[in-house]
Amino acid sequence: MPARGLSQAQNQPTTINIGLLLPDSSNTQLISFAELAVVQANRSGGYQNQEFKLVVRSAEGLWGTGSKESVALVYEDEVRAMVGALDGRNAHLAEQVAAKSHLSYIEANASDPTLSQAFVPWFMRVVPNDDQQAEAMAELIGKNGGGKSGILSTETYDARYAIHSLTKALARKTGNAPVIIDVDALGKQEQKIIEKIQSSQLDHLIVPFDAPFLRDLLVSLGTLMPSLKTYGTLHFTMGAECRKIPWKLYEGMYVISADPVRIGNEYLFVNAREGFAYDGVDLVIQAIKQVGTDREKIKDYLLGINYDGKTGAISFDELGNRNRPAVVAKIVHGKRLPIPN
């Protein structure tokens, strides 16, 4: 009998598996977008008479599930590379598995800078990391007149790393440490949050996370403090896109986004969460088409790639970070307009 997953005729794998690791199983739109890259590749012939297949696993459940599911992708599903759309903690677990198995791992969500500081050559990231986003925010705040800055803070792993990066960048750029304004995950006592922001006499306020309560809070701030300039990191933008919040509610706000496509005088922004996942999967497909399914060759090709993706041009530095500044847009008349670097 042929080995499991091998064809009778050629005794070779019937599919080329690519892993997609998600925080939970509810991300159906993201899965569909990632699968689109596979469908398009198979329509154009796959690779050497083999079709690509997306194998999806979820990290939801008890702490450590991300590691268990990463191991399953490598040794049960025999994927040729993994794409993750994870939070920072689970991304670290997946990165450890990738390092031990010598499997390319492309992260499409987590922006924690320490992921690349581990110096794992198998790790790459298609989203701008927290340091890159903070640098863009600090630069823009300087251009917007400087002054006193504040950061909304919530006790989550990813928010803590984003705040650390923002604090360093703002102190270096403006000479002043930002005011940290703590809020709980549900945004209770909105009036007290607003009073804290008002009493701090801020010129700029950065939101480095996503939460449902932010919509009402920011709308209220826009009415009560029209001169306050507000900024959202990529995770804020992803949340607004997923909830389909009209951008006109955030008029004048600055947000980090995926790179838009210009059509005439209009800019088309792909939903960042789905767009980055598509690019991660398609990067793996392009690598396999060029160098085959050998893990080492895939990694080497990806590290040297120049790729024009749904979220813009992608290449990687020596640590696996995306080789370009974060894209910032301003909400003008209910639409996002890119801010030149």
Side-chain angles (χ1 to χ4, degrees):
M1 292 181 63
R4 179 174 60 85
L6 302 185
S7 70
Q8 287 271 5
Q10 299 179 356
N11 198 39
Q12 67 177 17
T14 55
T15 60
I16 299 173
N17 294 344
I18 300 171
L20 177 63
L21 191 57
L22 302 176
D24 59 66
S25 55
S26 66
N27 294 266
T28 55
Q29 186 171 342
L30 186 151
I31 294 170
S32 296
F33 216 76
E35 284 182 334
L36 178 61
V38 171
V39 169
Q40 292 172 336
N42 288 335
R43 283 177 180 168
S44 64
Y47 175 73
Q48 293 189 352
N49 298 319
Q50 299 171 80
E51 289 195 337
F52 294 100
K53 179 183 177 181
L54 191 68
V55 182
V56 182
R57 287 186 176 265
S58 166
E60 63 187 320
L62 298 174
W63 168 240
T65 302
S67 178
K68 176 184 175 183
E69 294 304 303
S70 300
V71 170
L73 282 171
V74 175
Y75 297 107
E76 293 180 24
D77 304 318
E78 299 178 350
V79 299
R80 307 320 300 166
M82 284 193 302
V83 176
L86 300 171
D87 61 275
R89 292 203 308 167
N90 276 302
H92 272 289
L93 296 178
E95 182 183 39
Q96 291 169 18
V97 173
K100 292 177 181 177
S101 60
H102 288 195
L103 188 80
S104 293
Y105 170 47
I106 300 176
E107 178 53 44
N109 184 75
S111 51
D112 170 4
T114 64
L115 283 163
S116 49
Q117 291 165 9
F119 301 102
V120 174
W122 308 91
F123 173 80
M124 285 147 271
R125 180 184 355 232
V126 292
V127 294
N129 67 29
D130 288 335
D131 288 343
Q132 291 171 313
Q133 294 185 54
E135 190 65 28
M137 292 290 188
E139 183 75 22
L140 188 54
I141 285 173
K143 291 179 179 178
N144 285 340
K148 197 171 184 180
S149 300
I151 306 172
L152 286 188
S153 171
T154 186
E155 281 300 310
T156 65
Y157 179 96
D158 290 318
R160 288 199 304 271
Y161 274 98
I163 292 164
H164 180 67
S165 293
L166 287 163
T167 299
K168 288 192 304 179
L170 287 167
R172 185 178 65 252
K173 190 73 178 178
T174 67
N176 298 307
V179 177
I180 307 299
I181 300 170
D182 294 317
V183 299
D184 65 84
L186 299 178
K188 295 178 181 178
Q189 300 180 318
E190 178 183 300
Q191 186 56 40
K192 288 188 176 181
I193 299 171
I194 291 174
E195 289 172 359
K196 174 65 174 175
I197 294 170
Q198 289 176 318
S199 65
S200 298
Q201 298 182 321
L202 301 179
D203 300 295
H204 312 273
L205 179 68
I206 302 175
V207 185
F209 59 90
D210 165 51
F213 74 85
L214 289 171
R215 168 180 167 159
D216 291 342
L217 176 63
L218 289 170
V219 169
S220 296
L221 286 172
T223 301
L224 296 170
M225 301 178 66
S227 64
L228 177 68
K229 295 181 175 63
T230 53
Y231 307 78
T233 64
L234 182 61
H235 284 161
F236 170 86
T237 302
M238 287 178 171
E241 290 174 335
C242 286
R243 275 188 281 279
K244 296 181 170 56
I245 295 175
W247 287 112
K248 64 182 180 181
L249 296 179
Y250 299 146
E251 186 71 17
M253 190 174 187
Y254 299 87
V255 294
I256 292 179
S257 300
D259 208 5
V261 175
R262 182 166 181 169
I263 303 174
N265 292 323
E266 297 289 327
Y267 290 91
L268 176 64
F269 288 83
V270 65
N271 272 15
R273 193 183 301 273
E274 290 79 23
F276 286 120
Y278 174 98
D279 280 350
V281 173
D282 199 45
L283 279 167
V284 175
I285 289 170
Q286 300 310 316
I288 291 172
K289 284 185 173 182
Q290 293 299 318
V291 299
T293 58
D294 179 81
R295 293 178 180 180
E296 187 80 28
K297 291 180 179 179
I298 291 172
K299 180 261 293 181
D300 289 343
Y301 184 83
L302 287 171
L303 286 175
I305 201 168
N306 285 288
Y307 166 86
D308 187 16
K310 297 285 187 186
T311 61
I314 297 176
S315 63
F316 302 106
D317 66 15
E318 66 277 6
L319 298 180
N321 289 308
R322 187 162 176 167
N323 239 339
R324 61 168 302 163
V327 175
V328 184
K330 183 179 182 180
I331 313 303
V332 180
H333 302 309
K335 296 181 180 180
R336 282 177 284 179
L337 296 180
I339 304 296
N341 294 325

